[in-house]
């Protein structure tokens, strides 16, 4: 581990199992295909067993109902977690931008050259807090590299704070500035807790397996009854596709259609740059 940062400590960062576009293609093909395969299996079972299998029909209906109930529970759980994480990411991003803007403005009360040195360091640190706009982190190493760059810039801030607030600066002014700097540093921890996906890869695979099983049993039920898969089955497949894509899209936040908005941090960085340029 690099002795100057704690980036390597973030070993539990989770990244998407597959890239978002590939996941969309997999879901688009796998969900309806599962219903068709189920229908083929059900039709074959009907040819072997004959018609009028009332006992088998009741058992199939019970199993299908249980699987659909489980699917609904998993969808509600994962969708709720994804939405909760999205809101937390937004609020933490706004809070960090506000904290950085506050400490930058409070630095105006410091004497030169400390004021300009700290504000320039804050600007450099703020730029490292903007998440990649090219689809986010594809591997854990990329995520830790991002954190490492940010922590290197962060490590300059507190020594500069101690230097700028050394005696004979009045104690109230020390507290006024140091507390704002501490809030800006603490915002890093809140951002890091939302860097990962809220649901493990195993849980997401369980959701996919449950959805495929439910559609397979629906197709099997139709085939066993001597019917081809109805349009209702494919409507369900379509809605499952939309909901599961929305869950994956919301969880990623850095890729896909729904992306995290960093405009508040970008605006803060712009204001910092304008303030420093106007001083030159």
């Amino acid at each position: 581990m690099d002795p100057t940062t704690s980036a390597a400590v973030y070993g539990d960062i989770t990244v998407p199992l597959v890239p978002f576009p590939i996941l969309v293609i997999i879901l688009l093909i796998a969900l309806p295909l599962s219903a068709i395969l189920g229908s083929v299996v059900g039709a074959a079972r009907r040819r072997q067993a004959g018609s009028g299998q009332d006992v088998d029909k009741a058992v199939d209906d019970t199993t299908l109902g249980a699987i659909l109930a489980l699917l609904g529970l998993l969808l509600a759980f994962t969708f709720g977690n994804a939405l909760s994480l999205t809101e937390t990411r937004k609020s933490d991003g706004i809070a960090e931008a506000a904290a950085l803007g506050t400490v930058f403005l409070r630095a105006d009360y410091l004497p030169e050259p400390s004021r300009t040195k700290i504000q320039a360091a804050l600007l450099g640190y703020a730029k490292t807090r903007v998440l990649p706009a090219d689809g986010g982190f594809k591997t854990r190493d990329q995520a830790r590299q991002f954190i490492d760059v940010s922590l290197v810039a962060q490590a300059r801030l507190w020594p500069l704070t101690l230097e700028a607030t050394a005696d004979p600066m009045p104690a109230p002014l020390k507290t006024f500035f140091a507390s704002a700097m501490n809030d800006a540093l603490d915002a890093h921890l809140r951002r890091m807790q939302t860097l990962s996906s809220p649901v493990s890869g195993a849980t997401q695979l369980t959701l996919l397996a449950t959805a495929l099983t439910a559609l397979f049993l629906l197709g099997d039920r139709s085939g066993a009854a001597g019917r081809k898969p109805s349009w209702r089955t494919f409507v369900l497949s379509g809605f499952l596709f939309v909901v599961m894509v929305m869950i994956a899209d919301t969880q990623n936040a850095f890729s896909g259609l729904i992306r995290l908005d960093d405009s508040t941090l970008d605006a803060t960085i712009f204001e910092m740059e304008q303030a420093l340029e106007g001083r030159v």
Side-chain angles (χ1 to χ4, degrees):
M1 184 177 68
D2 190 333
T4 62
T5 73
S6 59
V9 174
Y10 296 92
D12 295 330
I13 295 173
T14 59
V15 295
L17 294 176
V18 295
F20 180 74
I22 297 178
L23 177 63
V24 172
I25 295 174
I26 291 174
L27 292 176
L28 185 62
I29 296 175
L31 292 174
L33 182 60
S34 182
I36 295 173
L37 290 176
S39 177
V40 173
V41 172
R45 183 161 59 89
R46 177 182 175 84
R47 288 193 297 270
Q48 292 177 357
S51 59
Q53 304 296 320
D54 294 334
V55 175
D56 289 344
K57 177 181 177 182
V59 173
D60 288 346
D61 288 344
T62 302
T63 304
L64 178 58
I67 291 294
L68 289 173
L70 176 61
L71 176 60
L73 178 65
L74 289 173
L75 285 172
F77 171 73
T78 52
F79 194 71
N81 272 269
L83 287 179
S84 175
L85 179 72
T86 298
E87 292 303 317
T88 303
R89 280 171 171 161
K90 289 180 180 179
S91 61
D92 287 347
I94 293 173
E96 181 171 42
L100 288 170
T102 297
V103 70
F104 186 89
L105 292 176
R106 290 190 182 185
D108 284 333
Y109 289 91
L110 301 176
E112 290 289 4
S114 294
R115 178 180 67 158
T116 300
K117 289 171 61 177
I118 285 183
Q119 288 182 332
L122 283 168
L123 174 59
Y125 174 64
K127 289 181 178 180
T128 70
R129 307 301 295 165
V130 179
L131 293 169
D134 59 350
F137 310 117
K138 297 178 176 61
T139 65
R140 289 184 177 89
D141 288 339
Q142 289 181 354
R144 283 194 287 266
Q145 183 179 6
F146 168 82
I147 297 171
D148 183 70
V149 171
S150 185
L151 290 177
V152 168
Q154 184 191 92
R156 299 181 55 209
L157 298 178
W158 192 249
L160 287 174
T161 300
L162 294 177
E163 178 185 333
T165 57
D167 293 333
M169 177 174 287
L173 185 55
K174 290 182 181 181
T175 303
F176 177 72
F177 178 73
S179 62
M181 179 63 77
N182 191 63
D183 289 341
L185 298 177
D186 287 345
H188 163 78
L189 300 178
R190 291 189 289 271
R191 288 285 300 278
M192 289 303 99
Q193 75 173 350
T194 59
L195 188 62
S196 297
S197 171
V199 181
S200 68
T203 303
Q204 296 182 54
L205 289 176
T206 301
L207 173 61
L208 176 60
T210 305
L212 294 176
T213 302
L215 290 170
F216 180 88
L217 292 178
L218 278 173
D220 178 76
R221 183 70 187 83
S222 297
R227 301 190 304 269
K228 294 182 179 180
S230 67
W231 60 270
R232 298 177 182 84
T233 301
F234 293 108
V235 167
L236 175 61
S237 171
F239 275 109
L240 283 176
F241 167 76
V242 172
V243 173
M244 293 176 71
V245 167
M246 288 177 61
I247 291 173
D249 198 5
T250 306
Q251 284 178 336
N252 290 340
F254 313 122
S255 61
L257 303 175
I258 305 173
R259 301 201 179 191
L260 189 65
D261 185 10
D262 268 339
S263 58
T264 53
L265 186 55
D266 291 336
T268 301
I269 291 173
F270 175 79
E271 292 171 358
M272 291 179 177
E273 292 174 337
Q274 293 300 305
L276 289 176
E277 289 177 3
R279 192 174 305 160
V280 176

